[in-house]
């Protein structure tokens, strides 16, 4: 690769990294926006979680639509465009979404806001499907993992500062704001309009930079499209049922009398809970059905004939769901008396530290990419997490937040460091250990209150930090010519971020927000199970040792 091309690719990577930042910034900032919308529009916890349903559901719709259209055309549409154009198109869709969001906040219409967020995230879906392989193509193959880890670290930086920026944009001050009183002001959404004007401008600028960079590679791969008609029909069927169930659930909230009784705690919506649970069952049963049928007759099922992929899809669904649901429900939890009645902009440091915990783990997980000596690596596994912790504290302190209550969180990070040493760079082992640690942390949060419980719930971010690459690597291991298709199926499972938070929200409306954190306990338990089960599946296929020894975080 010549020097000129290297400079062009470095420039492209710099621009591409900003796209990763956007995903984290917008997604994590929902944790502050959700309790605000709950107060602004008089919502229950389930209705407020529809923000996550709209945002993460769009990832699923975007990814599955690409697969369906590619199947109908019998070619990979995104590959035909080229990953560069895919990113440009995605940025333009997100730009259009920000325009709709500006109109939505002017109108002060919650349904309009949900629709605008859906369009923004639909663009993100196209960007994410394009950006990861595009980042891998911008240089030598052996350095691809380094570029992806760098991009992931910037994504985590976005998740760290997103809650801080949105909190300041909404409330304008750092303390002394009552979220209930502030939300009822007629102009309380005005600052969000300014924020989205800025964000939309950045989307448009990034699209222009890609478009006018003529020397950049188009980013097409040589892989052939593998049809999977039966898998496509199964996914379409699951999608139709999910849409129907959520449409019915939402229609029940159009009855003003029902809402009045419900908000006054005179009526428990057990049917709504049952229907919300059914959305989870549809995903689980649908995928297990597909794999069972594929084992008997693999023709037409494509990548779904591999059990490591199907269970990996469920694990990734669970991972995204638990990552989002902890953060999205944390704001409402902290507003309760048992957790200090923390409200308004005072929520930002806690939300930032939760999402910053993922950055702490990802920075540590990226150490192996640079092949340090064994002794240096052990030192870095201790030092790097605390450097990242310092970055999170500094970001909050610079914005004027009081970070003193977060100092003691340094002790919690020791448990994550211990997990890294026990994991020994083996993805299945690390996944199982971090899954168990996350489950224990959630149980501690359930049986305690105050600072201990807050730190326990926030620590979920520490244990979730390495799960995406670990699950992804294990799920596509051994897929051969179906690797690209399996990767696309895995991306659709970002849907977990749209299903599990509303499920916890509905449960919270019935048993209370604190007790509803039993949902993350179950999620971590399944992820730990996958870490234990998948290596046994891979060993039966004769490739278990390769994954255990060769893969890094």
């Amino acid at each position: 690769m010549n020097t000129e091309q290297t400079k062009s690719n470095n420039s492209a990577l710099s621009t591409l990294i900003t796209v990763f930042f956007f995903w984290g910034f917008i997604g994590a900032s929902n944790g502050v926006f959700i309790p605000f919308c709950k107060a602004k529009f008089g919502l229950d916890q389930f209705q407020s979680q529809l923000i996550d349903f709209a945002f993460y559901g769009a990832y699923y719709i975007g990814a599955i639509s690409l697969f369906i259209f590619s199947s109908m055309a019998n070619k990979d549409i995104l590959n035909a465009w080229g990953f560069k154009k895919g990113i440009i198109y995605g940025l333009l869709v997100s730009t259009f979404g920000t325009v709709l969001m500006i109109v939505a906040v002017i109108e002060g219409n919650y349904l309009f806001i949900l629709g605008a967020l859906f369009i923004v995230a639909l663009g993100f879906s196209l960007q994410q499907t394009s950006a990861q392989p595009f980042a891998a193509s911008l240089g030598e193959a052996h350095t691809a993992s380094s570029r992806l880890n760098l991009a992931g670290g910037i994504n985590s930086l976005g998740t760290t500062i997103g809650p801080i920026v949105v909190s300041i944009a909404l409330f304008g001050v750092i303390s002394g704001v009552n979220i209930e009183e502030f939300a009822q002001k007629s102009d309380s959404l005005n600052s969000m309009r300014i924020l989205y004007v800025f964000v939309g401008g950045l989307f448009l600028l990034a699209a222009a930079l890609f478009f006018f960079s003529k020397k950049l590679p188009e980013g097409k791969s040589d892989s052939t499209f593998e049809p999977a008609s039966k898998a496509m029909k199964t996914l379409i069927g699951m999608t139709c049922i999910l849409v129907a169930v959520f449409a019915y659930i939402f229609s029940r909230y159009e009855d003003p009398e029902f809402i009045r009784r419900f908000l006054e705690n005179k009526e428990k919506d057990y049917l709504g809970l049952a229907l919300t649970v059914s959305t989870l069952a549809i995903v689980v049963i649908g995928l297990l059905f597909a794999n069972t049928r594929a084992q008997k007759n693999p023709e037409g099922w494509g990548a779904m004939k591999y059990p490591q992929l199907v269970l990996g899809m469920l694990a990734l669904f669970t991972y995204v769901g638990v990552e989002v649901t902890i953060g999205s429900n944390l704001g409402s939890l902290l507003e309760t008396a048992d957790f200090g009645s923390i409200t308004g902009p005072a929520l930002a440091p806690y939300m930032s530290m939760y999402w910053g915990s993922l950055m702490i783990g990802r920075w540590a997980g990226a150490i192996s990419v640079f092949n340090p000596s064994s002794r240096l690596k052990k030192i870095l596994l201790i030092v790097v997490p605390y450097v990242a912790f310092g970055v999170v504290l500094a970001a909050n302190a610079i914005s004027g937040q009081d970070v003193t209550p977060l100092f003691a969180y340094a002790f919690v990070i020791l448990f994550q460091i211990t997990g890294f040493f026990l994991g020994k760079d083996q993805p299945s082992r690390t996944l199982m250990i971090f899954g168990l640690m996350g489950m224990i942390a959630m149980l501690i949060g359930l049986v305690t209150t105050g600072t201990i419980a807050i730190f326990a719930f926030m620590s979920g971010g520490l244990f979730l930090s390495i799960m995406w690459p670990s699950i992804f690597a294990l799920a596509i291991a051994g897929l051969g010519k179906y690797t690209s298709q399996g990767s696309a199926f895995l991306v659709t499972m970002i849907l977990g971020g749209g299903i599990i938070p509303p499920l916890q929200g509905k449960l919270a409306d019935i048993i209370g927000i604190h007790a509803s954190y039993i949902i993350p306990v179950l999620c971590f338990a399944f992820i730990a199970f996958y870490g234990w089960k998948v290596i046994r599946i891979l060993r039966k296929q004769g490739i278990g040792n390769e994954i255990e020894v060769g893969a890094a975080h």
Side-chain angles (χ1 to χ4, degrees):
M1 184 177 295
N2 60 46
T3 303
E4 185 178 349
Q5 185 64 59
T6 299
K7 289 180 179 179
S8 296
N9 286 353
N10 287 341
S11 175
L13 183 60
S14 300
T15 305
L16 185 60
I17 283 174
T18 65
V19 177
F20 279 77
F21 177 87
F22 290 146
W23 305 337
F25 180 93
I26 300 296
S29 64
N30 286 343
V32 172
F33 196 45
I34 284 171
F36 171 80
C37 285
K38 182 180 179 182
K40 176 71 176 178
F41 300 106
L43 310 174
D44 63 29
Q45 193 63 15
F46 167 75
Q47 289 174 306
S48 71
Q49 294 302 312
L50 289 175
I51 287 177
D52 282 333
F53 175 70
F55 190 79
Y56 292 98
Y59 277 88
Y60 174 77
I61 295 298
I64 199 172
S65 295
L66 271 176
F67 174 65
I68 291 170
F69 291 139
S70 294
S71 297
M72 293 171 63
N74 200 30
K75 66 177 181 179
D76 189 333
I77 292 177
L78 185 58
N79 190 49
W81 289 344
F83 299 131
K84 174 184 171 181
K85 286 184 179 178
I87 294 170
I88 293 171
Y89 295 156
L91 285 164
L92 293 176
V93 171
S94 292
T95 302
F96 178 62
T98 61
V99 173
L100 293 179
M101 177 61 82
I102 292 166
V103 178
V105 296
I106 291 174
E107 295 290 328
N109 187 302
Y110 183 58
L111 286 178
F112 200 167
I113 288 173
L114 292 179
L117 272 176
F118 180 87
I119 300 300
V120 171
L122 199 61
F124 283 3
S125 174
L126 187 54
Q127 293 168 45
Q128 182 146 327
T129 307
S130 306
Q132 305 227 26
F134 190 65
S137 72
L138 293 175
E140 302 297 336
H142 68 274
T143 60
S145 59
S146 176
R147 291 189 293 279
L148 290 172
N149 274 282
L150 174 62
I154 298 300
N155 173 268
S156 295
L157 181 62
T159 66
T160 301
I161 70 173
I164 300 171
V165 173
V166 171
S167 178
I168 295 173
L170 273 172
F171 306 112
V173 293
I174 297 305
S175 60
V177 173
N178 181 295
I179 193 170
E180 296 285 345
E181 295 176 358
F182 180 83
Q184 297 311 312
K185 294 182 178 179
S186 59
D187 62 348
S188 58
L189 275 170
N190 284 354
S191 51
M192 288 299 288
R193 178 183 61 192
I194 298 171
L195 176 65
Y196 271 91
V197 167
F198 179 71
V199 170
L202 290 178
F203 287 156
L204 202 56
L205 176 61
L209 287 174
F210 272 96
F211 180 78
F212 290 110
S213 298
K214 300 298 184 182
K215 294 182 180 180
L216 293 182
E218 290 299 319
K220 296 184 179 182
S221 69
D222 297 326
S223 60
T224 57
F225 180 76
E226 297 293 339
S229 58
K230 293 178 181 177
M232 181 182 69
K233 292 175 182 177
T234 300
L235 289 171
I236 291 175
M238 286 169 51
T239 303
C240 292
I241 297 172
L242 285 170
V243 170
V245 171
F246 261 99
Y248 177 72
I249 293 173
F250 197 78
S251 70
R252 299 180 77 239
Y253 284 84
E254 294 181 351
D255 179 4
E257 180 61 22
F258 171 78
I259 293 297
R260 184 187 64 77
R261 295 196 307 269
F262 182 80
L263 293 177
E264 291 176 357
N265 291 319
K266 293 180 179 179
E267 185 167 328
K268 299 293 185 182
D269 188 18
Y270 292 108
L271 176 59
L273 177 62
L275 289 170
T276 310
V277 170
S278 72
T279 61
L280 178 62
I282 290 164
V283 175
V284 174
I285 294 172
L287 292 179
L288 294 180
F289 165 80
N291 186 245
T292 300
R293 295 296 298 271
Q295 293 298 308
K296 296 178 180 179
N297 181 12
E299 184 178 354
W301 287 103
M304 281 193 179
K305 64 186 175 183
Y306 293 94
Q308 65 266 36
L309 175 72
V310 174
L311 287 178
M313 290 171 71
L314 289 174
L316 205 69
F317 174 93
T318 305
Y319 152 72
V320 177
V322 70
E323 176 186 285
V324 175
T325 200
I326 291 175
S328 294
N329 286 285
L330 190 59
S332 294
L333 180 74
L334 296 178
E335 290 175 357
T336 63
D338 287 341
F339 288 83
S341 299
I342 303 168
T343 185
L347 289 171
Y350 297 94
M351 303 304 302
S352 176
M353 183 54 71
Y354 168 69
W355 291 105
S357 293
L358 280 100
M359 183 178 77
I360 291 169
R362 286 169 182 166
W363 284 18
I367 292 172
S368 297
V369 173
F370 303 101
N371 295 316
S373 65
S374 178
R375 183 170 179 274
L376 177 59
K377 182 177 178 180
K378 290 177 181 178
I379 295 172
L380 291 175
L381 279 174
I382 297 172
V383 173
V384 169
Y386 285 106
V387 171
F389 177 56
V391 171
V392 179
L393 291 179
N396 281 277
I398 290 171
S399 69
Q401 303 282 6
D402 178 15
V403 297
T404 306
L406 298 177
F407 287 163
Y409 193 68
F411 173 75
V412 182
I413 296 173
L414 288 174
F415 292 97
Q416 184 198 55
I417 293 172
T418 302
F420 274 119
F421 278 101
L422 293 174
K424 299 179 179 178
D425 268 344
Q426 299 174 3
S428 65
R429 181 185 176 97
T430 304
L431 200 59
M432 182 176 65
I433 290 170
F434 275 44
L436 290 172
M437 284 184 165
M439 184 177 66
I440 292 170
M442 296 302 104
L443 286 171
I444 292 172
L446 276 174
V447 299
T448 59
T449 57
T451 301
I452 292 177
I454 293 173
F455 281 9
F457 288 136
M458 286 196 310
S459 73
L462 295 173
F463 306 120
L464 287 164
S465 58
I466 51 80
M467 288 184 175
W468 175 282
S470 296
I471 293 171
F472 218 98
L474 293 163
I476 64 174
L479 266 59
K481 65 179 182 179
Y482 294 106
T483 299
S484 178
Q485 186 182 99
S487 299
F489 287 163
L490 285 168
V491 171
T492 67
M493 290 297 101
I494 292 177
L495 174 67
I499 296 291
I500 292 178
L503 172 59
Q504 183 176 347
K506 179 58 68 179
L507 189 63
D509 288 329
I510 294 177
I511 67 174
I513 186 68
H514 189 186
S516 74
Y517 270 78
I518 187 65
I519 295 294
V521 174
L522 299 176
C523 290
F524 275 113
F526 178 76
I527 294 170
F529 166 76
Y530 178 70
W532 172 81
K533 180 68 175 178
V534 68
I535 197 60
R536 286 158 177 76
I537 294 172
L538 295 176
R539 282 173 180 164
K540 286 183 180 179
Q541 298 174 11
I543 58 175
N545 289 335
E546 297 175 22
I547 301 301
E548 285 293 275
V549 176
H553 301 303

